Amino acid sequence: MKKNKTRENINYNKIILRSILLSVFILLVSFASLTVCRWIGFKKLSEASKLSIVNKNNLDLLLKNKYSERYQLLQPLPYNVANQKLSVGAEAAILVDVSNGNIIYQKNADLVIPPASMTKLFAMYVVEEEIAKGRFSYDDVIPLPPESWACNMPPHSSLMFLGEGQVVTLEDLLLGLSICSGNDAAYALAYTVCGSMEEFVSRMNQVATSLGLSHTHFVESSGYSELNTTTAREMAAFARVYIEKHPQSLQKFHAVQSFTYPKERNLAPGDSLQAQDFSQGLPSHITMSITQKNTNPLLGKLQGCDGLKTGYIEESGYNLALTAKRNGVRFLSVTMRGQGANTQEGQAGRVKDGTELMEYAFRTFCDADISDFVTSSFVKVYGAKEKAVNLLPAFDVKTFSVPFITGNSLQDNLDNLKIEVSKPDFLFGDVVCGYEYGSIKIKLCDGENTFLLDTIPLVADRDVKRASFIIRLADSICCK
């Protein structure tokens, strides 16, 4: 009996052992199959899954909060520059690289000052937006309400000399606004687009609000009122948007050096045309043709200058929003409360300050296209519930303002620019959306000297949770 029981126990143990071995074998085969399948899946992987619209919006909001300074329309240079010894007579000034919004120089840039006729840039922007939406065209003939006639304008207004019954196109009005700084043109455009000055000004203020310009506010569209307000910084931020959204306006309107009005086609029925040079005094009859030069004194004098707009009332002093482009690089400056006892002195101050700022910018900085380096790329994620994420730049940088600190020329300096992209071969386990997992370093390398100009974090575009222990174990083999 004992021998039989012993044999039964031995057989039972053998069965258990075989079951255990079989179970282990099955587990090993299953694990091996899982590992192979995971490995094959990773080998075939070429991109991360697309983010949902909700997740993309959440990512954008996270980055804008975390790197808020780099998402502003205007932002400081990412590196320190030597003490800028510029002689700028205007009380407030700012100088900006248009391609990226970097502030090259500033002086009292947040001082609140009436923009005067720089206000008309906002009026032109509103009109250009309407044209872009197809609601108006440059060739549209515009009826002139009495509020827009030159004879009804406030005293000492700048005018293009609109009159009753004249035939004028939208393009004529925009030229009269940009070149002659015509207050009558400003009123005509306001009534054309919105039916009243109040509604048009509301549109202008909506533009300022949408751009976050908290100190910019208008009560009328010509700039005649001292109650219109802005700062050099906010006017430059707006002008950057204007240039980028409606670049055709520069050559079509702001770079035009003179304007003659009325022409034969503009005359009211029954009128005849007489020519008169504006320098001989104001015309005594609306049918006299008047040629006015662009109020921007740097057109034709400063290399590359193609805009934008002057402004003057007693409360503002001599203002100027100025832009110039050379070799594909565009800078923008705004000077406000420029000094001068008369127009001649005020214009001389504009020329001096504008030239000082622009020549400094063009001899000290150049732009580098770094868009090929500042891109997103997918990275595999092992041991997680998703197999890949995208690492993307924390903020958008397509062009970089390179300071002239190496070499013998701007081109030598540019040739010394180095871009280093550092990112992991893979990630493992948990991934946190917006967390930095790599970087792009922008350097100037001149022999043994290396100057780090900027570091752009590469951040994960999503949250990924770690996988189960078995998946993590299998993936730990795959990634090795």
Side-chain angles (χ1 to χ4, degrees):
M1 290 292 292
K2 288 184 178 179
K3 288 183 178 180
N4 289 335
K5 286 184 178 180
T6 301
R7 287 194 188 104
E8 288 177 2
N9 288 336
I10 292 171
N11 290 335
Y12 181 73
N13 290 337
K14 285 181 178 179
I15 291 171
I16 292 176
L17 179 60
R18 286 171 183 169
S19 298
I20 293 172
L21 290 174
L22 181 60
S23 297
V24 170
F25 176 75
I26 291 171
L27 286 173
L28 289 174
V29 170
S30 299
F31 181 73
S33 298
L34 174 65
T35 303
V36 170
C37 288
R38 297 284 295 180
W39 181 79
I40 291 172
F42 279 114
K43 287 288 285 185
K44 292 181 177 179
L45 192 66
S46 60
E47 61 182 15
S49 61
K50 289 186 178 180
L51 286 180
S52 68
I53 294 176
V54 171
N55 287 341
K56 188 177 185 306
N57 290 339
N58 288 339
L59 172 65
D60 290 342
L61 183 61
L62 185 154
L63 294 179
K64 287 177 181 177
N65 288 332
K66 190 173 181 179
Y67 303 97
S68 58
E69 191 174 62
R70 301 299 291 265
Y71 277 87
Q72 301 298 315
L73 288 172
L74 302 183
Q75 53 193 267
L77 286 166
Y79 49 82
N80 293 323
V81 294
N83 187 30
Q84 301 156 303
K85 297 179 180 179
L86 299 182
S87 176
V88 176
E91 190 170 343
I94 195 167
L95 174 64
V96 172
D97 186 334
V98 172
S99 68
N100 50 36
N102 283 167
I103 300 169
I104 306 298
Y105 169 86
Q106 58 183 314
K107 171 187 176 183
N108 299 326
D110 296 312
L111 193 62
V112 178
I113 300 171
S117 282
M118 291 194 303
T119 297
K120 295 180 172 78
L121 291 175
F122 277 80
M124 293 188 70
Y125 180 87
V126 170
V127 176
E128 289 284 19
E129 288 285 281
E130 291 293 300
I131 293 170
K133 293 172 183 174
R135 295 173 183 161
F136 292 91
S137 72
Y138 292 122
D139 296 328
D140 286 346
V141 175
I142 306 302
L144 300 177
E147 290 87 352
S148 70
W149 300 345
C151 60
N152 293 330
M153 289 295 103
H156 311 297
S157 290
S158 300
L159 301 168
M160 69 175 284
F161 296 103
L162 295 174
E164 182 179 3
Q166 291 179 344
V167 181
V168 61
T169 65
L170 191 63
E171 184 172 345
D172 290 332
L173 292 175
L174 289 169
L175 284 166
L177 197 68
S178 60
I179 299 171
C180 316
S181 198
N183 290 2
D184 46 358
Y187 274 75
L189 288 168
Y191 279 81
T192 295
V193 173
C194 293
S196 71
M197 177 60 71
E198 291 74 21
E199 282 299 314
F200 190 75
V201 170
S202 177
R203 285 283 302 277
M204 292 168 61
N205 286 326
Q206 287 172 24
V207 171
T209 300
S210 69
L211 297 177
L213 310 181
S214 58
H215 298 294
T216 300
H217 183 77
F218 304 104
V219 298
E220 52 82 40
S221 65
S222 73
Y224 186 83
S225 173
E226 76 280 5
L227 299 180
N228 294 327
T229 60
T230 192
T231 67
R233 187 187 310 279
E234 292 190 358
M235 182 57 69
F238 162 75
R240 183 189 174 216
V241 173
Y242 176 49
I243 290 170
E244 291 190 333
K245 289 196 71 175
H246 303 290
Q248 76 285 351
S249 289
L250 290 175
Q251 289 303 316
K252 194 172 184 66
F253 301 113
H254 299 290
V256 180
Q257 297 200 26
S258 65
F259 180 62
T260 301
Y261 185 86
K263 298 181 176 66
E264 191 75 40
R265 62 178 174 81
N266 302 123
L267 295 179
D271 282 352
S272 59
L273 190 66
Q274 287 182 272
Q276 177 174 318
D277 191 286
F278 187 58
S279 62
Q280 297 176 10
L282 289 171
S284 58
H285 195 277
I286 196 64
T287 57
M288 289 184 177
S289 183
I290 302 164
T291 298
Q292 298 186 63
K293 289 184 179 180
N294 196 309
T295 57
N296 184 346
L298 283 158
L299 284 176
K301 294 182 179 179
L302 176 69
Q303 181 187 347
C305 177
D306 53 5
L308 291 163
K309 191 74 188 71
T310 60
Y312 172 80
I313 57 175
E314 287 186 10
E315 293 83 358
S316 75
Y318 291 90
N319 300 338
L320 175 62
L322 178 70
T323 187
K325 183 177 182 179
R326 300 177 191 173
N327 301 317
V329 180
R330 179 177 294 283
F331 292 104
L332 164 73
S333 69
V334 174
T335 50
M336 301 187 72
R337 200 160 278 165
Q339 301 304 303
N342 52 51
T343 301
Q344 184 176 359
E345 290 182 4
Q347 287 286 65
R350 286 169 174 156
V351 169
K352 177 186 175 298
D353 287 350
T355 303
E356 175 88 358
L357 290 166
M358 286 296 168
E359 293 300 344
Y360 166 73
F362 283 113
R363 73 171 177 266
T364 311
F365 299 91
C366 57
D367 282 352
D369 182 355
I370 61 172
S371 56
D372 288 343
F373 299 95
V374 186
T375 58
S376 63
S377 58
F378 92 100
V379 174
K380 296 175 183 178
V381 183
Y382 294 96
K385 293 184 177 181
E386 289 193 47
K387 289 184 177 180
V389 299
N390 291 315
L391 294 187
L392 45 83
F395 36 84
D396 185 30
V397 182
K398 300 301 183 195
T399 59
F400 192 81
S401 303
V402 184
F404 184 12
I405 55 178
T406 70
N408 297 315
S409 67
L410 283 173
Q411 187 56 53
D412 284 348
N413 186 68
L414 201 56
D415 291 341
N416 290 331
L417 192 70
K418 306 296 179 187
I419 313 292
E420 294 180 359
V421 180
S422 174
K423 65 176 184 176
D425 294 329
F426 62 86
L427 298 172
F428 196 97
D430 290 323
V431 176
V432 180
C433 180
Y435 189 82
E436 181 179 345
Y437 291 96
S439 66
I440 302 168
K441 294 187 183 296
I442 303 172
K443 302 177 179 180
L444 275 174
C445 302
D446 184 18
E448 296 181 355
N449 299 317
T450 298
F451 306 92
L452 178 62
L453 300 179
D454 198 10
T455 299
I456 304 171
L458 289 173
V459 300
D461 68 341
R462 68 195 74 193
D463 285 319
V464 179
K465 299 299 182 182
R466 71 172 61 189
S468 65
F469 172 76
I470 296 297
I471 295 293
R472 297 203 307 275
L473 185 61
D475 282 3
S476 66
I477 296 172
C478 290
C479 66
K480 290 179 181 179

